[in-house]
Amino acid sequence: MTGPGTPHDRTTVEGLDSLAMTALRLVVTGRPAEAAALLAPTVETLDHTEVPTPALIDVSILYATLTTGPAQLRAAHYAYHFGHRVFPCGHPRRLAAADAYGTALHQHGRYTEAVAVRCRLLAGYRVHQPRASLSVAADLAASLHAAGHCREAQLTVCEAWNTWRHHPHRDVSTGTTILRTTIRLLRSCRRDLDLIAVICQARDTPAWDDLVITHTTTLAAADADYIDTHRGTLCTHTPQLPTRTSAAPTNLPPPRPAHRPPAGSWPPTDTSGHDSSRPHPTPQRAARPAPIAGRRTSATAAGNLRACGASPDGADPASRPGTGSMAHRRPSWHTALRMVAVLVPAVALVLHVVI
């Protein structure tokens, strides 16, 4: 096999493709260590000054996902750097190279660089492969959280969880990854109320069953170590619920004594628990306003009301200010009219008889 710095013929490219296929077959059959050993001689002798072939980038990506240590970081950087030069934006190999490089940076504790790479990777997945962007969002949240950006990490992973939960064609493995990351982040920051809400949401999803089945003692120990380390060094959140060992506050005002009425005071205190000096809180029914048509009285009705000595609103006219004298004069006018009505026919009759 010729070196990467020399021109590659078809046999060399086919040889790299065959090498990658053999390594993938070993990974599928559960032998990742053998696959890494098969790829190591080719990847560790790479010349970083020459642009490689796409097949060599594939081999570097696969090797970076199978190993750890400095060789992993060099292979991932090689694939990421040349992947941007060889493949166009949104190409699957370019996205895979960025994913491998972000993972390697995170595993080596270079969280700030991992956040930068994974932010660009998430933007690319959202544009070109939106269905595969949720797992990348969970990885970005893990890098943000490890770098001390707790709030940003929580917002990112909760958005991914809600998107997966409401997606009609959701993948169970992706949901399990997002749920595991969400629970770890919320437990680390002692966001107990948010954690309870997420667990209540997750118990009706298949991701919860898968999480329970795949949870092992090794994962539990790793989670415990991560949570203790994050709480003691990087956590920037305040706990939502107080801890049991927290001391009671000492700056609270003293309790006010209960008010007791003096002996022989009036009104007496109700023994049923209600203060008798206060009116009973019985609901009062509000009077409905009369309709507009009912507020207007006709001329005939108004005349009848005046003849009866009543007012349209039902109040006594004598009780109104300025109407007392008129009320006293009304009976004298009525009496005079009645006398005239009686005397005029009588005088006319007498005059007729006399004449």
Side-chain angles (χ1 to χ4, degrees), residues 38 84 87 99 203 251 259-260 288:
L38 179 66
H84 280 67
F87 305 114
D99 191 8
R203 292 184 68 90
N251 56 350
H259 176 69
R260 295 180 179 273
R288 296 182 179 179

Side-chain angles (χ1 to χ4, degrees), residues 127-298:
V127 173
H128 302 284
Q129 297 184 23
R131 293 188 61 179
S133 63
L134 296 181
S135 59
V136 180
D139 296 337
L140 174 60
S143 297
L144 286 168
H145 197 250
H149 306 290
C150 298
R151 179 174 177 78
E152 292 79 2
Q154 181 180 349
L155 292 176
T156 302
V157 74
C158 288
E159 180 184 359
W161 166 248
N162 290 326
T163 303
W164 179 87
R165 190 164 58 92
H166 294 95
H167 200 279
H169 306 289
R170 52 194 182 187
D171 180 58
V172 178
S173 60
T174 302
T176 305
T177 302
I178 299 172
L179 181 59
R180 180 180 289 111
T181 305
T182 306
I183 292 176
R184 172 187 271 196
L185 266 61
L186 295 177
R187 288 181 59 194
S188 301
C189 293
R190 288 172 287 187
R191 310 294 292 177
D192 299 326
L193 299 179
D194 296 335
L195 179 62
I196 292 172
V198 170
I199 291 177
C200 291
Q201 296 170 357
R203 292 184 68 90
D204 296 331
T205 62
W208 176 264
D209 300 333
D210 190 37
L211 181 65
V212 173
I213 294 173
T214 58
H215 192 69
T216 60
T217 55
T218 304
L219 291 175
D223 289 342
D225 294 340
Y226 179 85
I227 291 170
D228 294 338
T229 303
H230 184 78
R231 286 182 180 180
T233 58
L234 294 174
C235 187
T236 57
H237 263 313
T238 56
Q240 285 184 326
L241 296 179
T243 57
R244 296 181 179 179
T245 57
S246 60
T250 58
N251 56 350
L252 295 178
R256 299 177 61 182
H259 176 69
R260 295 180 179 273
S265 62
W266 185 262
T269 305
D270 188 6
T271 57
S272 62
H274 298 284
D275 191 358
S276 60
S277 62
R278 299 179 180 179
H280 239 303
T282 54
Q284 299 293 335
R285 193 169 186 178
R288 296 182 179 179
I292 297 176
R295 297 177 188 176
R296 301 175 181 175
T297 55
S298 62

